[in-house]
């Protein structure tokens, strides 16, 4: 990634200490170790299932690495925030309630002992986010960490494509790009590419990075996104950017120019390349297969038609692998309903509504635009991707949005210096009296 991009960022005030015990202090700058903790969280959410890699990696080894990364992230965050100073956060409060719901539903062991293991993982994940909340101040730190880490992941995907194009574009996935060095699926790669492209474009519009440094991130990421043929990520990128840039139109001339050129280019592309875009979008599928969302609708109908007890409707059956009948659910809302019940759906909906409401109430700014992009992308992707109810990249995206919307902590009052009284010799005092 370009150096200027990593040094640039969103505007944020200087860090100062908190004003009351237990409040999150604002230290002078975010420690570099926070970036390491964030990278470990990203590694944990990459998952252990996906395409076949060039060098076969046992799933047990991948799970050991990902879980080890989470434990290390929690330990490092605890060392950095040994006094357990956190910021009040509606996002983290709702995630904590979702964790409690998950524990209640998993304790019945309807999904086996694996559900309790997933609850332990979610506990460490949410606990690490609480510890990192100390450094939420609406500044650039977590945006930079997010772009860096996912660009590094995309770098491994590009390396696998160069080393073994056949393994990176397998027939099993219809020639779509997968991770050949680390098992990553096309939707995962498309998600990572779309998110960092959107954030980088917004940084350019906010003049927080130069165009050359941004191009190093945007161009290869768009190429990888196109090779994945991921419709959800592409729509999320364009719709999310439209909403984010739209929030800047009244205050940013650069945003207005970009929006105008983007609309003109979209119209020209739709007229000149309509057939090509349609073929890319359909991915060789029939209209029937496309209409039922590549078979997803059949799984959804079966899940909704399955009989459930009152307890299962309210709390779900416990954390699982986001599948039903051996097939992936691929919908965050139905996955949450299946595993955490109606209570889980209410908590996830409240999470998105609270973040969206706070973003709309903020005055137009670059942090607000980035937060709107992340929130809208997660809302759009939730229709065909699971993850909002468990430790996942989507929760990391929303955490970055929450960090951007966090109001800077009030600076402590500057103490008035005490001027020492000058002692007057007694002889001088007598002379003044006389």
């Amino acid at each position: 990634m370009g150096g200027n991009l990593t040094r640039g960022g969103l505007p944020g005030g200087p860090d100062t200490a908190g004003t009351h015990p237990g409040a999150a202090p604002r230290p002078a700058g975010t420690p570099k170790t926070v970036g390491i903790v964030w990278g470990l969280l990203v590694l944990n959410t990459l998952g252990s299932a996906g395409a076949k890699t060039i060098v076969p990696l046992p799933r047990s080894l991948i799970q050991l690495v990902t879980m080890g990364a989470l434990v290390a992230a929690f330990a490092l965050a605890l060392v950095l925030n040994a006094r357990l100073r956190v910021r009040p956060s509606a996002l983290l409060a709702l995630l904590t309630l979702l964790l409690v719901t998950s524990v209640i539903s998993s304790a019945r062991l309807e999904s086996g002992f694996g559900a309790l293991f997933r609850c332990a993982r979610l506990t460490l994940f949410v606990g690490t986010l609480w510890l990192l909340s100390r450094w939420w101040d609406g500044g650039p730190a977590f945006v930079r960490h997010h772009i860096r880490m996912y660009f590094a992941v995309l770098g491994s995907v590009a390396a696998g494509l160069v080393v073994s194009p056949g393994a990176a574009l397998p027939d099993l996935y219809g020639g779509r790009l997968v991770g050949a060095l680390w098992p990553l699926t096309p939707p995962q790669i498309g998600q990572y590419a779309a998110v960092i492209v959107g954030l980088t474009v917004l940084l350019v519009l906010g003049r927080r990075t130069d165009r050359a440094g941004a191009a190093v991130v945007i161009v290869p990421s768009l190429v990888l996104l196109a090779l994945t043929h991921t419709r959800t990520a592409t729509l999320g990128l364009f719709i999310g950017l439209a909403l984010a840039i739209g929030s800047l139109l009244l205050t940013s001339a650069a945003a207005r120019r970009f929006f105008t050129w983007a609309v003109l280019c979209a119209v020209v592309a739709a007229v000149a390349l309509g057939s090509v875009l349609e073929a890319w979008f359909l991915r060789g599928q029939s209209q029937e297969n496309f209409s039922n969302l590549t078979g997803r609708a059949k799984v959804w109908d079966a899940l909704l038609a399955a009989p459930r007890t009152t307890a299962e409707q309210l709390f779900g059956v416990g954390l699982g692998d986001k599948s039903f009948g051996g097939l992936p659910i691929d919908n965050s809302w139905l996955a949450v309903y299946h595993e955490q019940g109606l209570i889980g759906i209410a908590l996830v909906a409240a999470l998105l509504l609270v973040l969206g409401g706070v973003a709309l109430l903020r005055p137009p700014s670059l942090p607000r635009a980035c937060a709107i992009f992340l929130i809208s992308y997660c809302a759009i992707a939730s229709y065909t991707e699971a993850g909002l109810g468990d430790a996942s990249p989507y929760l990391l995206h929303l955490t970055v949005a929450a960090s951007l919307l966090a109001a800077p902590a009030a600076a402590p009052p500057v103490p008035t210096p005490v001027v020492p009284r000058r002692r007057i010799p007694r002889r001088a005092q007598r002379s003044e009296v006389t």
Side-chain angles (χ1 to χ4, degrees), residues 180-196:
L181 298 181
W182 185 275
L184 297 173
T185 61
Q188 285 180 281
I189 300 171
Q191 175 196 165
Y192 306 153
V195 167
I196 67 172

Side-chain angles (χ1 to χ4, degrees), residues 46 66 88 124 126 135 146 171 189 192 194 222 226 250 269 306 313 364 367 395 434:
L46 293 183
T66 54
L124 289 177
V126 175
W135 292 279
H146 215 52
D171 294 334
I189 300 171
Y192 306 153
L222 284 177
L250 297 179
Q313 286 183 337
L395 292 190
T434 57

Side-chain angles (χ1 to χ4, degrees), residues 94 333 345-360 375:
L94 289 170
W333 302 101
I345 287 183
L347 291 173
V348 172
L351 188 151
L352 290 175
L353 289 175
V354 168
L355 284 178
V358 172
L360 292 177
I375 297 167

Side-chain angles (χ1 to χ4, degrees), residues 20-243:
H20 57 279
R26 302 183 60 210
T30 303
K32 293 182 179 180
T33 313
V34 170
I36 299 176
V37 174
W38 197 255
L40 292 171
L41 290 177
V42 169
L43 176 58
N44 173 255
T45 57
L46 293 183
S48 58
K52 294 182 179 179
T53 55
I54 300 173
V55 179
L57 299 174
R59 188 174 181 182
S60 58
L61 175 62
I62 297 175
Q63 290 176 334
L64 179 63
V65 171
T66 54
M67 279 306 301
L70 180 58
V71 173
F74 180 78
L76 281 177
L78 192 58
V79 170
L80 287 173
N81 193 359
R83 295 186 178 181
L84 303 181
R85 306 219 175 180
V86 298
R87 290 199 59 145
S89 168
L91 168 76
L92 296 181
L94 289 170
L95 285 180
T96 303
L97 291 177
L98 187 63
L99 170 61
V100 173
T101 303
S102 303
V103 172
I104 294 173
S105 61
S106 300
R108 299 195 305 271
L109 299 180
E110 292 186 34
S111 298
F113 287 98
L116 297 179
F117 175 81
R118 293 182 178 92
C119 286
R121 177 192 177 214
L122 184 58
T123 301
L124 289 177
F125 187 85
V126 175
T128 305
L129 296 182
W130 271 113
L131 293 172
L132 293 180
S133 67
R134 173 182 178 179
W135 292 279
W136 295 3
D137 60 358
F142 288 91
V143 173
R144 291 201 301 265
H145 297 324
H146 215 52
I147 295 176
R148 286 174 183 169
M149 298 310 162
Y150 281 117
F151 189 66
V153 174
L154 293 182
S156 71
V157 175
L161 178 62
V162 172
V163 172
S164 180
L169 300 168
D171 294 334
L172 179 63
Y173 283 87
R176 301 170 65 190
L177 181 64
V178 300
L181 298 181
W182 185 275
L184 297 173
T185 61
Q188 285 180 281
I189 300 171
Q191 175 196 165
Y192 306 153
V195 167
I196 67 172
V197 166
L199 290 176
T200 306
V201 167
L202 292 174
L203 290 180
V204 173
L205 294 180
R207 297 181 180 179
R208 301 300 168 182
T209 183
D210 60 83
R211 296 181 180 180
V216 174
V217 176
I218 294 174
V219 173
S221 299
L222 284 177
V223 172
L224 297 181
L225 174 59
L227 290 176
T228 63
H229 285 251
T230 306
R231 295 177 291 226
T232 300
T234 304
L235 289 175
L237 170 62
F238 290 140
I239 297 175
L241 268 181
L243 295 175

